Amino acid sequence: MKKFSVKTIVAIGIGAALFFVLGRFVAIPSPVPNTNISVQYGLLAFLSVVYGPVAGLLIGLIGHALIDFSYGWGIWWSWVLASAVFGLLVGFTSKATKLEEGEIGKKGLIKFNISQVICHVISWGLVAPVLDILIFSEPVNKVFTQGLLAGVSNAVTTAIVGSLLCVAYAASKPKAGSLTKE
């Protein structure tokens, strides 16, 4: 098994803490009960692309569990696991962008956003509702309505926040050949 670098472990800790803060204090109430419009998924997608699928999984798992715990209603494991699955899946798409090379461009942003939308559909259209039904015996129409709103709103906020973070990160990286003498 590949060992985590100190940098990745620190990123998991900081990422989970930021995920918690954004999810707990920057959540926008929605018209669907027990469902918020969340901005933390843009951060999770970005960190998953930079640090990989296992880091994404752990950031989503720890961060979402802390959010639920802080509200006092208990940890809603179906949604916590959906956040973890989202981080994991987005992490697998990291090779599709040239983010580490200091390039993202229009093509990279399109790939990033297509993949994050697919990952949200899987997480909020499948994982969260099915686990809600299996674990908590929740009504089918309720959980799929919640999943639909969460998936759409998370995809939109990820497209905005995640894309901005990717562009800023790519701009901060030295470009190939930029440090050579002419």
Side-chain angles (χ1 to χ4, degrees):
M1 183 174 143
K2 182 182 171 186
K3 292 187 177 189
F4 285 137
S5 68
V6 172
K7 188 175 176 182
T8 302
I9 293 169
V10 170
I12 291 167
I14 292 172
L18 288 172
F19 187 96
F20 164 73
V21 169
L22 291 172
R24 182 66 169 90
F25 301 109
V26 189
I28 303 163
S30 81
V32 176
N34 302 319
T35 310
N36 292 321
I37 298 169
S38 305
V39 297
Q40 70 266 26
Y41 290 97
L43 173 73
L44 177 57
F46 165 71
L47 292 173
S48 297
V49 167
V50 174
Y51 293 100
V54 176
L57 179 140
L58 291 171
I59 293 166
L61 182 79
I62 296 165
H64 199 135
L66 289 171
I67 292 167
D68 283 4
F69 182 76
S70 73
Y71 275 114
W73 57 52
I75 298 174
W76 206 257
W77 287 107
S78 52
W79 284 58
V80 170
L81 292 173
S83 290
V85 167
F86 176 75
L88 175 76
L89 294 176
V90 173
F92 283 124
T93 69
S94 62
K95 299 291 185 220
T97 67
K98 293 184 178 182
L99 201 55
E100 281 301 315
E101 298 165 22
E103 298 176 23
I104 186 75
K106 187 183 282 187
K107 191 175 180 180
L109 284 174
I110 290 170
K111 287 178 181 180
F112 171 79
N113 280 295
I114 288 172
S115 65
Q116 66 92 356
V117 168
I118 292 168
C119 296
H120 277 304
V121 167
I122 293 167
S123 297
W124 307 111
L126 185 64
V127 174
V130 169
L131 290 177
D132 271 349
I133 294 164
L134 294 175
I135 297 171
F136 301 110
S137 301
E138 289 285 324
V140 173
N141 61 339
K142 173 189 169 192
V143 296
F144 280 101
T145 300
Q146 289 174 324
L148 176 67
L149 174 77
V152 169
S153 64
N154 291 346
V156 170
T157 60
T158 300
I160 296 166
V161 175
S163 294
L164 288 172
L165 289 170
C166 286
V167 168
Y169 181 79
S172 74
K173 301 292 279 183
K175 310 299 181 270
S178 67
L179 300 177
T180 59
K181 277 185 162 180
E182 292 186 24

